[in-house]
């Protein structure tokens, strides 16, 4: 059901609890859409601790017909790895700033999966602004956001996440202060 849901929505949240397969189901949805030529390549933005042992391992184990590239290291190394031909690119959350400009020229990367999107719950941080630029100010891309705990501190934690993933959502107050006033 999760893979079906993701494949039917250009921009979506998957809020399944830990251990319910957010990683594999988002990869299933990507693989299905790729086979139907609805997407080409995917960039996965995730915590450093999950790049190899979660994402790359799952691709290797479950999708042996797909290539994945883990983008990690110096700025020059990251840019070189991004140039490799691969189906799936995996980068850590704080690494996106190093590839942001190069990514703007990659029209073939037309899906972005943001794992642990709750790490982007403050729209005033440089981290959020970099993500927002990649998701909304570059080429048009599909975006799927994954997290099992979107609001760890307050319901207001959701505002920045929704603003990044679905910025034109008519139910989302345009400004954080308005959301704060409502709650």
């Amino acid at each position: 059901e999760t893979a079906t849901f993701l494949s039917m929505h250009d921009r979506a949240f998957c809020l399944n609890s830990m251990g319910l397969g957010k990683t594999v189901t988002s990869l299933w949805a990507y693989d299905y859409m790729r086979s139907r030529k609805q997407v080409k390549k995917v960039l996965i933005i995730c915590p450093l601790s999950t790049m190899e042992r979660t994402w790359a391992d799952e691709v290797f184990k479950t999708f042996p017909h797909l290539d994945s590239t883990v983008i990690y290291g110096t700025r020059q190394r990251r840019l070189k790895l991004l140039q490799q031909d691969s189906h799936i690119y995996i980068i850590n959350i704080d690494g996106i700033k190093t590839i942001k400009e190069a990514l703007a020229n990659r029209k073939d990367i037309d899906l972005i999966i943001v794992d642990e999107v709750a790490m982007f719950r403050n729209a005033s941080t440089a981290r959020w602004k970099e993500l927002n630029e990649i998701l909304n100010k570059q080429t048009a891309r599909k975006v799927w956001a994954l997290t099992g705990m979107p609001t760890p501190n307050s319901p207001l934690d959701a505002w920045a996440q929704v603003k990044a993933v679905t910025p034109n959502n008519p139910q989302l107050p345009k400004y954080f202060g308005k959301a704060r006033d409502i709650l």
Side-chain angles (χ1 to χ4, degrees), residues 14-125:
C14 175
L15 305 178
N16 295 351
S17 297
M18 191 170 93
L20 293 181
K22 290 182 293 292
T23 301
V24 74
T25 55
S26 59
L27 290 170
W28 280 333
Y30 162 70
D31 191 39
Y32 170 75
M33 292 179 71
R34 187 189 63 79
S35 73
R36 309 230 349 148
K37 301 195 181 335
Q38 295 172 333
V39 294
K40 296 175 188 124
K41 298 174 186 281
V42 61
L43 173 68
I44 299 166
I45 301 169
C46 61
L48 181 64
S49 61
T50 65
M51 290 171 54
E52 289 277 354
R53 298 289 69 94
T54 301
W55 286 98
D57 285 357
E58 193 66 56
V59 172
F60 180 78
K61 178 177 64 174
T62 310
F63 303 91
H65 59 286
L66 298 177
D67 298 319
S68 68
T69 300
V70 175
I71 301 175
Y72 189 72
T74 65
R75 183 182 195 295
Q76 292 75 22
R77 184 170 191 270
R78 288 176 194 238
L79 292 172
K80 186 176 180 180
L81 289 168
L82 184 62
Q83 292 175 356
Q84 290 183 0
D85 187 30
S86 190
H87 298 106
I88 300 168
Y89 300 92
I90 305 166
I91 192 163
N92 67 307
I93 289 167
D94 291 318
I96 60 174
K97 64 184 167 214
T98 62
I99 66 162
K100 181 175 56 177
E101 292 174 19
L103 192 58
N105 299 320
R106 292 292 304 268
K107 308 283 188 235
D108 59 329
I109 299 176
D110 50 4
L111 170 63
I112 296 182
I113 298 173
V114 184
D115 187 20
E116 295 305 335
V117 71
M119 296 181 80
F120 296 95
R121 62 183 176 267
N122 184 339
S124 65
T125 64

